[in-house]
């Protein structure tokens, strides 16, 4: 997680390089690409401000739920996530290969999300396109319990908070940054609710028993 978080800065710098070089708009004034044609833009859903990317996200969530809960490959991936060493010893799973495949698939879906953002919202690629979606995604995943369907509801909640931040500041005079405080409180409460039974004493028990379990597995 730390490695991929740090690589976000590399990706942002690469995007900045591209929009100031090969992908810069025709007049070469603004650090952004030309607007994509209307035929390449995602259509809006009737009667809403949502575009078709929302339906795509729901579809992918259902697909991931099916893969994780109904396929052998998904079971092996979850096993590697819970305990790579145990998955190798008990199930003969190549944890490094599974981790690499999961990393590439995650990157592909992240790239798809960026494409949806460009084709559905901004209609052009420019510097600072993402105001921190990667970090928000981690919070959404934690709040959703690392479950594809739970992530959908957590994403809708965070999206509503982010969308309402500007209106809250304009109409009620409440600083938009207050939304981040609310999000932090939600995350802390969710983490406390899923903490090991027994609180810190439970954590200490896990720390004491983990070395013995590792020696038994090894």
């Amino acid at each position: 997680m730390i490695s991929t978080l740090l690589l976000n800065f590399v990706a942002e710098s690469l995007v900045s390089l591209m929009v100031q070089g090969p992908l810069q708009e025709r007049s070469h004034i603004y650090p952004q690409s030309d607007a994509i044609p209307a035929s390449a833009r995602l259509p809006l859903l009737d009667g809403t401000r949502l575009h078709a990317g929302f339906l795509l996200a729901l579809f992918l969530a259902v697909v991931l739920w099916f893969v994780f809960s109904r396929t052998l490959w998904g079971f092996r991936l979850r096993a590697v996530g819970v305990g790579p060493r145990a998955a190798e010893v008990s199930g003969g799973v190549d944890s490094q290969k599974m981790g690499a495949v999961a990393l590439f698939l995650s990157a592909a879906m992240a790239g798809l999300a960026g494409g949806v953002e460009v084709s559905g919202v901004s209609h052009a690629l420019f510097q600072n396109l993402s105001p921190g979606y990667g970090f928000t995604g981690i919070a959404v995943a934690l709040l959703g319990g690392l479950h594809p369907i739970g992530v959908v509801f957590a994403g809708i909640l965070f999206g509503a908070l982010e969308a309402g931040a500007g209106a809250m500041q304009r109409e009620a005079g409440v600083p938009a940054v207050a939304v981040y405080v609310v999000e932090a409180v939600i995350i802390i409460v969710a983490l406390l609710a899923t903490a090991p039974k027994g609180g810190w004493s439970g954590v200490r028990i896990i720390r004491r028993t983990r070395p013995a379990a590792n020696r038994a597995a090894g």
Side-chain angles (χ1 to χ4, degrees), residues 110-180:
L112 178 61
V116 168
E117 178 71 12
V118 171
S119 58
V121 180
S122 64
H123 301 149
L125 182 64
F126 53 87
Q127 283 182 316
N128 302 321
L129 176 69
S130 171
Y133 292 137
F135 299 98
T136 304
I138 295 175
V140 169
L142 291 175
L143 185 60
L146 303 180
H147 190 283
I149 305 303
V151 166
V152 170
F153 291 102
I156 292 175
L157 172 62
F158 272 64
L161 290 174
E162 295 283 350
M168 183 175 63
Q169 182 169 348
R170 290 192 305 270
E171 311 227 349
V174 180
V177 293
V179 169
Y180 300 119

Side-chain angles (χ1 to χ4, degrees), residues 55-128:
L55 298 180
L56 178 60
L58 294 180
F59 173 75
L60 286 177
V62 173
V63 170
L64 290 176
W65 167 81
F66 179 83
V67 170
F68 287 146
S69 61
R70 295 291 187 271
T71 66
L72 178 61
W73 186 86
F75 173 77
R76 289 176 175 172
L77 182 59
R78 288 189 292 115
V80 170
V82 173
R85 179 60 178 164
E88 290 178 355
V89 174
S90 304
V93 180
D94 188 343
S95 61
Q96 292 186 352
K97 180 179 178 180
M98 292 295 293
V101 172
L103 182 64
F104 279 111
L105 290 178
S106 299
M109 285 187 287
L112 178 61
V116 168
E117 178 71 12
V118 171
S119 58
V121 180
S122 64
H123 301 149
L125 182 64
F126 53 87
Q127 283 182 316
N128 302 321

Side-chain angles (χ1 to χ4, degrees), residues 12-23 127:
E12 290 178 359
S13 299
L14 180 60
V15 171
S16 298
L17 177 64
M18 296 301 290
V19 296
Q20 295 181 61
L23 296 181
Q127 283 182 316

